[in-house]
Amino acid sequence: MCNEKISDENLQLKLEDPIEYYLKNIEDPEIMAELRWEDPYFYDYILRLHFINEMQNHENIYRCPECRGNIITDIDSGEEYCTCCGLVTRTHYPYVAGQRLMLDYGLK
């Protein structure tokens, strides 16, 4: 009975948010093999999202790696930056003025 409830929740998640469903079940070989067979392009997309998520740094930082100043989050833009030297450690935007940003602590 409990397994049926879990499978119903998984089915609901699969229908409502398939990306979240497959990222949650990335380690399940049966689910991923089924996806690879049914939609190889979506399978590649899920693998790419998983890779990007694993490569990003998820640790919270409170001190600037350059000057040891305090890191704060700007509420308007969502950027995390140092109050002393202005170093941006994380942001939501991958590009500024057409140039790709390479942030040591990844994107939010």
Side-chain angles (χ1 to χ4, degrees):
M1 179 113 178
C2 186
N3 290 339
E4 292 175 7
K5 183 178 181 182
I6 293 172
S7 65
D8 289 343
E9 290 174 1
N10 276 339
L11 179 61
Q12 183 178 2
L13 181 62
K14 184 178 181 179
L15 295 174
E16 291 177 358
D17 191 0
I19 294 173
E20 182 67 28
Y21 170 76
Y22 287 113
L23 287 174
K24 182 180 173 185
N25 294 300
I26 195 86
E27 300 297 327
D28 189 336
E30 292 178 10
I31 291 175
M32 296 310 290
E34 179 182 335
L35 175 63
R36 186 174 185 193
W37 179 257
E38 290 177 1
D39 191 350
Y41 295 110
F42 190 61
Y43 173 79
D44 289 341
Y45 178 71
I46 294 296
L47 290 182
R48 181 171 177 262
L49 285 178
H50 177 69
F51 175 77
I52 290 169
N53 192 32
E54 291 297 312
M55 292 303 293
Q56 290 180 343
N57 189 340
H58 297 287
E59 68 184 42
N60 290 329
I61 53 173
Y62 302 103
R63 294 277 176 210
C64 176
E66 299 288 325
C67 71
R68 307 306 296 160
N70 290 332
I71 300 290
I72 63 168
T73 302
D74 183 13
I75 296 173
D76 296 332
S77 67
E79 288 184 343
E80 292 180 6
Y81 64 93
C82 176
T83 56
C84 294
C85 68
L87 175 73
V88 176
T89 56
R90 285 194 188 117
T91 184
H92 290 290
Y93 309 107
Y95 291 92
V96 170
Q99 299 295 318
R100 182 156 179 81
L101 289 175
M102 298 303 289
L103 300 172
D104 292 335
Y105 295 94
L107 295 174
K108 284 184 152 186

